[in-house]
Amino acid sequence: MPAITYELVKQDPVTGARAGIIHTPHGSFPTPIFMPVGTQASVKAVSPDELRDLGAGIILSNTYHLFLRPGPELIREAGGLHKFMNWDRAILTDSGGFQVFSLGDLRKITEEGVTFRSHIDGSKKFLSPEVATKVQMDLGSDILMAFDECAPYPADYEYVQKSMERTTRWAQRCKDTLTREDQGLFGIVQGGMYKDLRTQSAKALIEMDFPGYAVGGLSVGEPKELMYELLEHTVALLPQNKPRYLMGVGTPDCLVEGVLHGIDMFDCVFPTRVARNGMAMTWNGRLIMKNAEYTRDFHTLEDGCGCYACRNHYTRAYIRHLVRAGEIFGLRLLSLHNLYFLQDFMRCLRQSIMEGRFTKFRIDFLANYQMNAKK
Amino acid sequence: MPAITYELVKQDPVTGARAGIIHTPHGSFPTPIFMPVGTQASVKAVSPDELRDLGAGIILSNTYHLFLRPGPELIREAGGLHKFMNWDRAILTDSGGFQVFSLGDLRKITEEGVTFRSHIDGSKKFLSPEVATKVQMDLGSDILMAFDECAPYPADYEYVQKSMERTTRWAQRCKDTLTREDQGLFGIVQGGMYKDLRTQSAKALIEMDFPGYAVGGLSVGEPKELMYELLEHTVALLPQNKPRYLMGVGTPDCLVEGVLHGIDMFDCVFPTRVARNGMAMTWNGRLIMKNAEYTRDFHTLEDGCGCYACRNHYTRAYIRHLVRAGEIFGLRLLSLHNLYFLQDFMRCLRQSIMEGRFTKFRIDFLANYQMNAKK
């Protein structure tokens, strides 16, 4: 029995949208799902208890950051990342590839791997398919990601082709390195904005038979229409019986469109990052809490919301005060609200698939979303 | 029935230490007690739920800060400070006197009150006994403090005398202003380091018959021995049937000595401020969490501690990682631990009084404390 398995529960009859369950050594969770990001072994400002309370079944953590600090040896000694951070549900770790390639002039790529300078102390570091996989084995995450290059946008055909081919070779090396049977390694389809390269990438990875596949290299600055086009093309190539993960996407419109095309998993720092900037996500658009209109607004962030902040009747006026006064508790309340909102949003998406009304849900939501965006 | 009453439960037969209960419109709490400080209507990084969980029965909030932002009118409209910040237990508010006098050249004192510049936007503001009391009536705190001057240290006799006499006149004006029967106003004994001035201050305030008395103007830079001498002198003048509050004191050694001399209430930003600087308070002294010695220390902050961090097995190694990585959750865990430590410390002090072994407790604690301080 592989560590990670996907169970299809219901397929939307009209679109690619699907409801499922992913089983991991640290529990099962319904899909489609949004994964809160705990970059440095902590979802910023939020406790594991609070994550459980708001319904998160899996979180993401970053290999790059944990590799540099506190280091994989320490986390292994602590009993793995779950125990280190006190989170007993599933964890997905990325490979660090995205971060080291983002370092620009500070890194050097060879076939073997990437040499780079730590952003913390400037020391010389090296990540490769083997190292990234071993680090993730030390972390003990349920789902590991292959070490890949996320090609920039725009990039010419030749660059993207070479990069994708190297990523494919690296995926095999990651697979050859992984020996723990309680972990599942996902391959990442690359190929930039070129459909034929996406096809080559997907085919090669499927050949290697990973327990799940991510679509990487999207949401990197390209127009949304182009992203959706590539997404549709790519997902159509992937097997039905494996989870599909769209990396780094977390705004409601992109989540809906990702689900439309058959994506099961998403992650993004968006909900917690904007919370720390004083923004609340709601079904009726975003609230900038510093705005004067909330000064005497004694309603909760969202009527009927079940998040910690709303169900305990914290008002917009109070949260505005906390944000303006720079109080940490304000960021906590907004982080909890935004993370709950996305969990709730995904539950509603799933429910609409289960009840055969996904298309109506999507059209209604997007109409409302675009109207609010214009306000 | 006055809003605030004191019930003496047990008097230590040898020292001035006493165990009691203070009754307020928002519940009763055992004394001696330490009040966490929620300067801007939030105990930094901590939720009201968490404060309840760690056993806090009363918190302090600052009139100066709330007067400037968000303003007392808004808090009154919200239904008062309890409702605004979602805290249903007791609240004590200071008068703002301490903060405006600390502004130095930025403030001008007359018999009428103090004109000063807001530290937020530089606008001109005015606080007086009447304004400070009305602001606290808008806030709806259970215990209000009289508007006073906390004389600096050192200060000459003539300055302190004039300041104390004005503080006495101001106390009467505060009393004359308060009309809400669900609030109790405490007088503040001043007089600097001069015993005869302390005596005059205390006698005049007792004449006015406040439901409680604070000892102000101590812990302002004077040697600790001098502080304890003045404290002993002052408390001896105060009535047995009223609460006594030593303002701005929160290190364990000062708490023990305050209790020794018959103090019932304390407040200080110390536990939360040092938490944000990465320090844990324990029965065996302070832990500087950034220190390398905790890198692989998989023990909790304190063995057997019942705080959120310790009872959920967050390790020193994890907290050190969070502090070094600048993660808010690290400050949360340390704030919760330190606040719990002081609540627990006061419970143990009270228990020792109840069981007639306060003196032994005090001597043992101080010996251990001084030994740890030398480490």
Side-chain angles (χ1 to χ4, degrees):
Chain A
M1 184 76 172
I4 307 297
T5 56
Y6 176 77
E7 184 182 339
L8 180 65
V9 175
K10 176 120 182 192
Q11 172 82 51
D12 185 60
V14 185
T15 70
R18 58 191 209 158
I21 300 171
I22 293 177
H23 303 284
T24 85
H26 286 87
S28 304
F29 51 83
T31 58
I33 198 159
F34 177 83
M35 302 182 280
V37 178
T39 299
Q40 304 185 106
S42 172
V43 175
K44 290 198 190 303
V46 170
S47 76
D49 281 345
E50 290 164 338
L51 288 171
R52 274 186 285 268
D53 177 62
L54 61 85
I58 179 169
I59 61 171
L60 179 146
S61 202
N62 292 102
T63 287
Y64 169 80
H65 294 85
L66 298 176
F67 173 63
L68 296 182
R69 182 174 59 197
E73 303 82 9
L74 189 145
I75 293 179
R76 187 188 59 223
E77 272 183 57
L81 186 55
H82 290 88
K83 197 169 172 201
F84 184 58
M85 69 179 289
N86 214 349
W87 172 252
D88 59 6
R89 296 186 180 174
I91 298 176
L92 179 149
T93 45
D94 68 0
S95 67
F98 183 81
Q99 283 80 15
V100 293
F101 279 94
S102 305
L103 291 173
D105 291 346
L106 295 169
R107 45 85 176 154
K108 194 180 153 235
I109 310 165
T110 65
E111 181 65 22
E112 182 56 22
V114 183
T115 306
F116 62 98
R117 295 272 175 194
S118 159
H119 75 277
I120 297 170
D121 60 9
S123 63
K124 211 169 168 178
K125 300 283 177 180
F126 178 70
L127 271 180
S128 67
E130 289 77 15
V131 174
T133 304
K134 282 177 184 161
V135 170
Q136 292 179 83
M137 287 166 68
D138 281 343
L139 299 179
S141 41
D142 300 275
I143 300 175
L144 293 69
M145 299 306 298
F147 189 67
D148 67 329
E149 177 182 6
C150 172
Y153 175 83
D156 63 43
Y157 187 89
E158 200 188 355
Y159 179 93
V160 176
Q161 182 177 29
K162 282 190 176 164
S163 164
M164 179 275 288
E165 287 170 355
R166 186 173 51 213
T167 286
T168 305
R169 293 189 296 274
W170 283 0
Q172 183 64 53
R173 285 165 54 188
C174 290
K175 196 178 177 216
D176 294 342
T177 306
L178 178 64
T179 53
R180 281 181 64 162
E181 293 187 353
D182 61 345
Q183 297 185 300
L185 174 69
F186 282 20
I188 304 176
V189 180
Q190 292 289 355
M193 305 303 153
Y194 305 102
K195 287 186 185 173
D196 63 321
L197 297 183
R198 289 271 167 191
T199 303
Q200 287 176 41
S201 173
K203 285 194 170 167
L205 293 172
I206 292 165
E207 194 102 343
M208 297 180 209
D209 192 25
F210 290 100
Y213 298 91
V215 183
L218 293 182
S219 194
V220 290
E222 77 282 11
K224 279 189 181 173
E225 286 318 309
L226 183 57
M227 167 182 160
Y228 297 144
E229 196 183 320
L230 269 297
L231 184 59
E232 184 172 13
H233 172 82
T234 306
V235 175
L237 304 163
L238 299 175
Q240 275 282 345
N241 62 340
K242 303 281 177 75
R244 304 137 172 192
Y245 163 29
L246 178 57
M247 305 180 83
V249 162
T251 56
D253 57 332
C254 291
L255 294 172
V256 171
E257 296 306 89
V259 169
L260 170 77
H261 294 301
I263 293 293
D264 306 303
M265 305 166 70
F266 303 86
D267 81 284
C268 196
V269 296
F270 185 79
T272 43
R273 179 168 290 168
V274 299
R276 295 197 305 283
N277 290 324
M279 202 183 91
M281 301 170 77
T282 80
W283 286 89
N284 291 305
R286 302 172 187 180
L287 314 181
I288 311 299
M289 296 312 299
K290 281 196 180 171
N291 285 354
E293 63 185 300
Y294 305 120
T295 307
R296 293 179 148 68
D297 187 338
F298 299 116
H299 296 93
T300 56
L301 293 172
E302 178 134 58
D303 268 359
C305 172
C307 87
Y308 176 85
C310 292
R311 74 171 188 258
N312 286 299
H313 310 293
Y314 287 98
T315 63
R316 295 173 176 187
Y318 180 60
I319 293 171
R320 176 175 188 268
H321 162 67
L322 294 178
V323 168
R324 294 209 319 150
E327 286 288 345
I328 290 173
F329 190 48
L331 314 181
R332 281 183 62 185
L333 290 174
L334 287 172
S335 296
L336 290 170
H337 175 82
N338 289 353
L339 288 172
Y340 179 91
F341 169 77
L342 281 185
Q343 294 297 322
D344 190 44
F345 186 72
M346 299 312 279
R347 278 190 291 265
C348 291
L349 271 175
R350 189 175 197 273
Q351 196 61 23
S352 78
I353 298 168
M354 293 300 289
E355 295 171 4
R357 51 177 177 78
F358 170 75
T359 297
K360 180 173 180 345
F361 179 94
R362 171 178 170 258
I363 289 168
D364 291 350
F365 173 79
L366 291 176
N368 187 48
Y369 189 82
Q370 278 146 17
M371 197 185 68
N372 285 313
K374 282 188 196 128
K375 275 197 305 203
Chain B
M1 184 76 173
I4 306 298
T5 56
Y6 176 77
E7 185 183 339
L8 180 65
V9 175
K10 176 122 183 192
Q11 172 82 51
D12 185 61
V14 184
T15 70
R18 58 193 209 156
I21 301 172
I22 293 178
H23 303 284
T24 84
H26 287 87
S28 304
F29 51 85
T31 59
I33 198 161
F34 176 82
M35 301 182 280
V37 177
T39 299
Q40 303 186 106
S42 172
V43 175
K44 288 197 192 303
V46 170
S47 76
D49 280 346
E50 289 163 340
L51 288 171
R52 274 187 284 269
D53 177 62
L54 60 86
I58 179 170
I59 61 170
L60 178 146
S61 201
N62 292 103
T63 287
Y64 169 80
H65 295 84
L66 298 177
F67 173 62
L68 296 182
R69 183 174 59 196
E73 303 80 10
L74 189 145
I75 293 179
R76 188 187 60 223
E77 272 182 59
L81 185 55
H82 290 86
K83 198 168 170 201
F84 183 59
M85 67 178 292
N86 215 349
W87 172 251
D88 59 5
R89 296 186 180 174
I91 298 177
L92 179 148
T93 45
D94 68 359
S95 67
F98 183 81
Q99 283 79 15
V100 293
F101 279 95
S102 306
L103 291 172
D105 291 345
L106 293 171
R107 46 84 176 154
K108 195 180 152 234
I109 310 164
T110 65
E111 181 65 23
E112 182 55 22
V114 183
T115 306
F116 63 98
R117 295 273 174 195
S118 159
H119 76 277
I120 298 169
D121 62 7
S123 63
K124 211 169 166 177
K125 298 284 178 182
F126 178 70
L127 271 181
S128 67
E130 290 77 16
V131 175
T133 305
K134 282 177 185 164
V135 169
Q136 292 179 84
M137 287 167 69
D138 281 343
L139 299 179
S141 42
D142 300 275
I143 300 175
L144 294 67
M145 300 306 296
F147 189 68
D148 67 328
E149 178 183 3
C150 170
Y153 175 84
D156 64 43
Y157 187 87
E158 199 187 357
Y159 179 92
V160 176
Q161 182 176 29
K162 282 188 176 166
S163 163
M164 179 275 287
E165 287 170 355
R166 187 173 50 214
T167 286
T168 305
R169 291 189 296 273
W170 282 1
Q172 184 63 55
R173 284 166 55 188
C174 290
K175 194 177 180 224
D176 295 343
T177 304
L178 179 64
T179 54
R180 282 181 63 163
E181 293 188 351
D182 61 344
Q183 297 185 300
L185 174 70
F186 281 20
I188 304 175
V189 180
Q190 292 289 355
M193 304 303 154
Y194 304 102
K195 286 186 185 171
D196 63 322
L197 298 183
R198 290 269 167 192
T199 302
Q200 286 175 41
S201 172
K203 285 194 169 166
L205 294 172
I206 292 164
E207 193 102 343
M208 296 180 210
D209 192 26
F210 288 100
Y213 297 91
V215 183
L218 293 182
S219 194
V220 290
E222 76 281 10
K224 276 188 182 175
E225 287 316 310
L226 183 57
M227 169 183 159
Y228 297 144
E229 196 183 320
L230 269 298
L231 184 61
E232 183 171 14
H233 172 82
T234 306
V235 175
L237 304 163
L238 298 176
Q240 275 281 348
N241 62 341
K242 304 282 177 74
R244 301 137 173 193
Y245 162 29
L246 178 57
M247 305 180 83
V249 163
T251 56
D253 57 332
C254 290
L255 293 172
V256 171
E257 296 307 88
V259 168
L260 169 77
H261 294 302
I263 293 293
D264 307 302
M265 303 165 72
F266 303 86
D267 82 283
C268 197
V269 296
F270 185 79
T272 43
R273 179 167 291 167
V274 299
R276 295 197 304 284
N277 290 326
M279 202 184 91
M281 301 170 76
T282 80
W283 286 89
N284 290 306
R286 303 173 186 180
L287 315 180
I288 311 299
M289 297 311 299
K290 281 194 181 173
N291 286 354
E293 63 186 299
Y294 305 121
T295 306
R296 290 179 151 68
D297 186 339
F298 299 114
H299 296 93
T300 56
L301 293 172
E302 178 134 57
D303 268 359
C305 173
C307 88
Y308 176 84
C310 293
R311 75 171 188 257
N312 285 299
H313 311 292
Y314 287 99
T315 63
R316 294 174 177 187
Y318 180 59
I319 293 171
R320 175 174 190 268
H321 163 66
L322 294 178
V323 168
R324 295 207 323 147
E327 285 288 344
I328 291 173
F329 190 48
L331 314 182
R332 281 183 62 183
L333 290 173
L334 287 173
S335 296
L336 290 170
H337 175 83
N338 289 353
L339 288 172
Y340 180 92
F341 170 77
L342 282 185
Q343 294 298 321
D344 190 44
F345 187 72
M346 300 311 280
R347 278 191 291 266
C348 290
L349 271 175
R350 190 175 194 273
Q351 196 61 24
S352 79
I353 299 168
M354 293 300 290
E355 295 171 4
R357 51 178 176 78
F358 170 74
T359 297
K360 179 172 181 346
F361 179 95
R362 172 178 169 257
I363 289 168
D364 290 350
F365 173 78
L366 290 176
N368 189 46
Y369 189 83
Q370 277 147 16
M371 196 185 69
N372 286 313
K374 280 187 198 128
K375 274 198 304 203

